[in-house]
Amino acid sequence: DLLRPSTRRPRRRSGTEFGPGARTRADLIQEPRCAMDLTRIAPTDRQHIQKYSPVGFTVSGVEFAGPVLVFPQESLSWNADAPDSLLLNDVSAIIDRAGELDLCLLGCGNRITRVEACVRQVLKDVGVSVEPMDTGAACRTFNVLLAEGRAVMAALFPPTEP
């Protein structure tokens, strides 16, 4: 008996069974007002990395030539030479804001490079972890983590190739 298909017709649910005004799934699919809007809603008080190229970056509508530091509330041009030769002076702006940050995403250009041990240690001592990655990954990760409300910043070098 259990394996035989049922000859009973499924019971039709009334609109009041799910609350006032409930409709069928077909009704909901056909109505345009039920479509999901996937447009990103960006808080205006946070930075958003929009574009990167070998020339520089566009962050929240502002173009930066060369390397850039992107903090949650502001972005600054960065006078660092290369990700593999960072000096303590190059990370002074990060150290100054260490109380507001947990993570620094280091966009190294096209390829990941090592961060000098002394720079990594100084940032660790003030409570900021450094994660080197290629620039594209750093930009995407920054946008996602910031949207989640994480205390993150990005130190970005432009890629040498598009």
Side-chain angles (χ1 to χ4, degrees):
D1 275 343
L2 294 175
L3 297 177
R4 247 184 315 167
S6 173
T7 55
R8 288 184 349 166
R9 296 187 74 166
R11 188 170 69 114
R12 189 167 175 113
R13 300 175 190 252
S14 68
T16 58
E17 197 165 334
F18 293 110
R23 290 168 287 197
T24 67
R25 182 177 180 177
D27 293 336
L28 295 174
I29 290 172
Q30 292 175 1
E31 292 184 17
R33 69 178 179 183
C34 294
M36 183 178 292
D37 183 6
L38 297 177
T39 305
R40 183 181 167 278
I41 300 172
T44 57
D45 64 334
R46 293 188 189 145
Q47 299 294 291
H48 176 74
I49 302 169
Q50 297 170 295
K51 181 176 149 187
Y52 63 92
S53 72
V55 175
F57 301 88
T58 303
V59 183
S60 297
V62 179
E63 293 182 4
F64 292 88
V68 65
L69 295 173
V70 185
F71 296 97
Q73 307 297 327
E74 68 175 330
S75 298
L76 308 168
S77 289
W78 190 27
N79 292 323
D81 291 328
D84 57 352
S85 62
L86 288 176
L87 304 171
L88 293 178
N89 188 41
D90 294 328
V91 296
S92 62
I94 301 169
I95 293 168
D96 292 344
R97 293 173 174 85
E100 308 164 15
L101 304 169
D102 295 329
L103 178 63
C104 171
L105 302 171
L106 179 62
C108 300
N110 295 341
R111 297 176 188 241
I112 300 171
T113 58
R114 264 179 71 154
V115 178
E116 293 289 333
C118 64
V119 171
R120 185 181 289 276
Q121 187 60 48
V122 166
L123 290 172
K124 183 179 178 183
D125 290 346
V126 295
V128 179
S129 298
V130 179
E131 288 296 327
M133 55 187 71
D134 68 79
T135 295
C139 292
R140 292 185 297 274
T141 304
F142 173 82
N143 287 338
V144 169
L145 293 179
L146 194 63
E148 292 175 354
R150 299 275 307 273
V152 63
M153 64 87 51
L156 304 171
F157 289 90
T160 55
E161 305 166 1

